[in-house]
Amino acid sequence: MNILSSEKRLFMENTEKTKLKKQLSSRHITMLALGGAIGAGLFKGSGEAIEIAGPAVLIAFLIGGAVLFIVMNGLGRLVLDGGDTQHGLSGLVRPFLGVHAADFIDWVYYSLWTINIIAEAVAAASFLQLWFPNIPTWVFVLILAIFTTLINLYSVRLFAETEYWLAFAKISVIILLIIFGIYLVGQQMLGNGVLPTLQTLTNYGGFSPHGMKGIIHSLLVVIYSYGGSELIAVTVSEADDPKKAIPKAIRGVMGRIISFYIIPLFLLLIIFPWHVLAKTTVSPFVMVFEKMSIPFAADIVNFVIILALFSSINSGVYASSRLLYFRVKNKTNAVKKLAVLNKYHVPQRAVLFCASILYLGVVLSYLVGDKLFGYLAGSLSYTVLVIWMMISAAAFILALKKKSSFGKVINLLAIVVLGLIFGGIFFTNPIGVTLLTGLLYLIIFFSYQKK
């Protein structure tokens, strides 16, 4: 009996050494999801979206926000229905979509974060070069890679705390922008009247100067911007009491993400003519702070934007390293070595491998130039849509099993809307981006091997 107890205790100790630690609270998970979703899409991509659709970009963000609400609600239901051994998106969709689909969604999601790491790094380098124009991009990417790697290697608790405060910093700036924006709009209304102030939304070509095509085209940037919210699912294995923490985090994230995009954009489009926002070489956030006569406004906002982008890169390395860890830890070949945990229970080799992808961004930035961000955003939009459709499909099948009429209708609606958006983006995305993204999906799909 004692021998059996000793063997059992030894087995449990060895198991603990090969498992990720549950150190993430709901506040960490909430900020982690916000960190993944609020980055270059808001600070850099908002100007591009306004240029594409004009003030009607608000409609695009509302459509994207409504779909996000449904997808995240479905994700929460999948978490509550799942077992204690589930991990990542694959663990949530496997009971409903099968093993092949589970393998596909994990590798597609892994590709999303690896591409996103490059996109955010390119964006961060462009903002850093406003201060140091003579320093090459690769130096900034190297610095970002080193900091991100060290934070992710030490412990998940350090990573979570760092990400919490990085996300807190950028959310604080967004809240400040909203406060300043309301003040400036109020000033305009007192001086010019309510209707003349709101006419900024309809002047210069009307509310939708580029018509429905502009709205559909801007959805490419919108979906890219909202992507990252589903990162919550990756934290299941490291969440303290996931069935309580994750649904709570989802409820907190949905409203905040939508509010942090739509409200600031609405205020910006009232304060400044849309064509001015579209053509500005600085972030629209800088324009508001400068209008408030805040000293060093451009530098302050630029610094926070860099923190926001670093936060998103940080989230990307976390997400991609965990996805890689779970995909290779049960392999029997040399790839399994990527799943080795260090003494802090962090998959250090997976982290190093994923952080090294940042250097690929240097090469691509050199070869493609300023258009790289747009190409990456186009590819990421496809991937976010595919992942959201698979989450909604799994939630739809769960609703069928639970005989939930509301769940069936709402998730089916999400699938239909996502399909329509996918079609719209297909006709507006550069053909090269579409072909390369499609090739990536085919490689992932046909590389699946049955165990």
Side-chain angles (χ1 to χ4, degrees):
M1 187 74 175
N2 290 333
I3 294 173
L4 288 174
S5 298
S6 299
E7 289 179 349
K8 185 177 179 181
R9 186 169 61 253
L10 182 62
F11 172 77
M12 290 178 68
E13 288 175 357
N14 289 332
T15 302
E16 286 300 312
K17 290 178 181 178
T18 58
K19 285 175 64 179
L20 299 175
K21 276 192 173 181
K22 293 182 175 293
Q23 302 182 72
L24 300 180
S25 64
S26 59
R27 76 180 181 93
H28 289 135
I29 296 168
T30 299
M31 286 301 197
L32 181 58
L34 289 172
I38 300 176
L42 176 61
F43 295 108
K44 185 177 176 68
S46 57
E48 295 178 17
I50 291 169
E51 183 177 7
I52 294 166
V57 72
L58 293 170
I59 295 175
F61 273 99
L62 283 170
I63 292 170
V67 176
L68 173 66
F69 182 87
I70 298 171
V71 172
M72 295 295 284
N73 183 62
L75 186 64
R77 294 186 182 279
L78 291 172
V79 170
L80 289 173
D81 184 74
D84 294 331
T85 58
Q86 64 183 335
H87 58 78
L89 288 170
S90 61
L92 296 176
V93 305
R94 186 183 294 112
F96 309 101
L97 303 182
V99 179
H100 195 170
D103 178 85
F104 180 77
I105 196 172
D106 259 3
W107 283 120
V108 167
Y109 199 50
Y110 174 77
S111 74
L112 179 147
W113 279 110
T114 55
I115 295 170
N116 187 69
I117 288 169
I118 298 172
E120 303 288 312
V122 169
S126 69
F127 283 105
L128 281 164
Q129 284 184 318
L130 293 175
W131 286 334
F132 309 102
N134 297 322
I135 297 178
T137 303
W138 70 266
V139 175
F140 295 125
V141 176
L142 176 63
I143 293 169
L144 290 169
I146 292 170
F147 274 109
T148 306
T149 304
L150 290 174
I151 289 169
N152 275 271
L153 279 179
Y154 186 71
S155 75
V156 69
R157 176 69 69 175
L158 174 65
F159 159 77
E161 285 296 331
T162 303
E163 188 56 33
Y164 179 88
W165 292 109
L166 286 172
F168 181 83
K170 61 185 172 186
I171 288 168
S172 299
V173 169
I174 297 170
I175 292 171
L176 275 176
L177 176 94
I178 292 172
I179 294 169
F180 293 159
I182 291 171
Y183 172 77
L184 292 171
V185 169
Q187 269 194 331
Q188 290 184 22
M189 286 183 175
L190 288 172
N192 305 324
V194 175
L195 289 177
T197 299
L198 294 177
Q199 279 178 347
T200 312
L201 294 169
T202 56
N203 292 335
Y204 312 102
F207 182 74
S208 183
H210 304 304
M212 185 57 68
K213 183 180 179 181
I215 296 173
I216 294 171
H217 195 179
S218 69
L219 281 168
L220 184 152
V221 180
V222 171
I223 296 300
Y224 161 71
S225 300
Y226 282 152
S229 312
E230 65 294 315
L231 174 60
I232 284 175
V234 180
T235 67
V236 168
S237 299
E238 293 174 282
D240 184 15
D241 192 4
K243 289 186 183 295
K244 180 180 178 181
I246 291 179
K248 181 181 177 181
I250 287 173
R251 288 192 298 271
V253 164
M254 287 187 294
R256 291 177 198 176
I257 288 176
I258 296 169
S259 300
F260 291 159
Y261 275 94
I262 294 172
I263 295 174
L265 283 175
F266 176 69
L267 294 169
L268 284 167
L269 287 163
I270 293 175
I271 298 166
F272 304 102
W274 72 268
H275 65 282
V276 173
L277 293 171
K279 299 299 180 183
T280 182
T281 56
V282 298
S283 170
F285 281 59
V286 173
M287 296 171 66
V288 171
F289 278 66
E290 287 179 339
K291 200 173 180 67
M292 289 292 296
S293 300
I294 295 176
F296 308 107
D299 291 328
I300 293 169
V301 176
N302 197 51
F303 176 70
V304 174
I305 290 172
I306 292 165
L307 286 182
L309 293 170
F310 177 65
S311 165
S312 191
I313 295 168
N314 207 28
S315 296
V317 171
Y318 170 83
S320 57
S321 63
R322 268 41 176 195
L323 287 162
L324 184 61
Y325 167 78
F326 283 119
R327 297 316 303 168
V328 304
K329 72 170 187 171
N330 295 322
K331 299 288 185 182
T332 56
N333 52 25
V335 178
K336 185 179 180 180
K337 292 181 179 179
L338 287 172
V340 173
L341 300 181
N342 62 17
K343 63 181 180 180
Y344 304 111
H345 292 253
V346 172
Q348 59 182 8
R349 293 178 183 176
V351 168
L352 288 168
F353 180 83
C354 294
S356 68
I357 292 168
L358 283 166
Y359 304 107
L360 177 61
V362 180
V363 178
L364 290 174
S365 181
Y366 176 78
L367 294 174
V368 181
D370 294 337
K371 294 182 179 179
L372 178 59
F373 181 80
Y375 292 155
L376 293 174
S379 179
L380 289 167
S381 298
Y382 279 134
T383 307
V384 172
L385 286 169
V386 168
I387 290 164
W388 285 10
M389 280 193 274
M390 293 183 74
I391 292 171
S392 297
F396 175 75
I397 296 171
L398 173 62
L400 285 176
K401 289 184 177 181
K402 298 286 186 181
K403 296 181 180 179
S404 169
S405 299
F406 177 77
K408 287 186 287 186
V409 172
I410 202 73
N411 286 294
L412 184 60
L413 176 64
I415 294 168
V416 171
V417 173
L418 287 167
L420 292 172
I421 295 173
F422 193 97
I425 291 177
F426 178 83
F427 288 108
T428 54
N429 235 338
I431 187 66
V433 172
T434 299
L435 290 175
L436 287 173
T437 307
L439 178 63
L440 174 64
Y441 294 167
L442 288 173
I443 291 170
I444 292 171
F445 185 82
F446 288 108
S447 63
Y448 170 73
Q449 294 179 341
K450 290 184 179 180
K451 293 182 180 179

